[in-house]
Amino acid sequence: MAKHTGLIGCSMFILSLLFAATEATEYNVGGSFGWNTPPNQTFYSDWASSKTFFVGDSLVFNLTENQNFADVTMADYNSCSTNTDPFAGNGPSRIVFTVDLLHPGPRYFISTVDNHCARGQKFSINVEKPFSFGPSPSATPPSINSALSAFLSTIAVYFFTRI
Ligand SMILES: *[C@@H]1O[C@H](CO)[C@@H](O)[C@H](O)[C@H]1NC(C)=O
């Protein structure tokens, strides 16, 4: 009986690891600093490069007064200029705005207030496919998913035959 309990506990542990791996994460952009005129030019790029973003995750922009952000192209990101309308913001009060990352690939965000973008209120991210651990989305074989499920069903069969 004790042996069976151990096996069940072990399979529960594996399952909980899997759920943890697929859980969507909400990222507060800029951490506790929020979305504000940064202390230096690399503040937001440093923040973004310290994380790995997956499809299903979301970015939460905590806008302080008179701040905004725009979801732009790479060219606009590089030049800090855009014709894209900014999202909510520029107002007298604080606003929390959530961007859901629904597709894999690069995303670019800038502030369009004054020269904030040039001062570093900008960042880019690459949204990875779920279970993609490779450096680039195209380099990641879809077989990781099937290899994983084959592995899991092998484990499941093993546990069920033992119990
Ligand atoms: C930018 O500012 C942040 C927060 O004050 C600090 O942790 C970081 O080291 C600074 N980076 C540079 C390059 O000065």
Side-chain angles (χ1 to χ4, degrees):
M1 184 61 195
K3 187 176 155 200
H4 288 174
T5 311
L7 286 173
I8 291 166
C10 185
S11 52
M12 296 298 274
F13 176 69
I14 290 169
L15 281 178
S16 62
L17 277 185
L18 265 183
F19 280 115
T22 55
E23 200 174 274
T25 307
E26 278 196 348
Y27 291 97
N28 282 313
V29 177
S32 57
F33 184 75
W35 184 244
N36 207 340
T37 320
N40 56 54
Q41 283 193 327
T42 57
F43 181 81
Y44 286 103
S45 52
D46 288 347
W47 176 83
S49 63
S50 70
K51 316 215 163 0
T52 304
F53 301 93
F54 291 98
V55 169
D57 291 346
S58 50
L59 301 175
V60 180
F61 287 81
N62 284 289
L63 278 70
T64 48
E65 279 180 39
N66 301 314
Q67 302 289 341
N68 75 13
F69 73 96
D71 182 354
V72 299
T73 63
M74 183 171 71
D76 286 354
Y77 172 81
N78 288 332
S79 65
C80 271
S81 66
T82 182
N83 293 320
T84 307
D85 286 336
F87 280 86
N90 257 343
S93 60
R94 289 168 172 266
I95 291 177
V96 176
F97 202 95
T98 301
V99 175
D100 294 324
L101 304 172
L102 301 176
H103 308 288
R107 297 289 294 270
Y108 305 91
F109 299 95
I110 67 173
S111 166
T112 72
V113 176
D114 301 333
N115 65 346
H116 290 189
C117 177
R119 289 166 63 183
Q121 202 171 355
K122 63 188 291 195
F123 67 96
S124 66
I125 62 174
N126 190 52
V127 183
E128 310 276 349
K129 290 176 192 165
F131 289 117
S132 120
F133 297 108
S136 90
S138 57
T140 307
S143 62
I144 286 183
N145 269 335
S146 40
L148 184 64
S149 45
F151 172 68
L152 285 175
S153 48
T154 308
I155 289 177
V157 167
Y158 175 77
F159 282 126
F160 279 114
T161 53
R162 293 297 294 269
I163 287 169

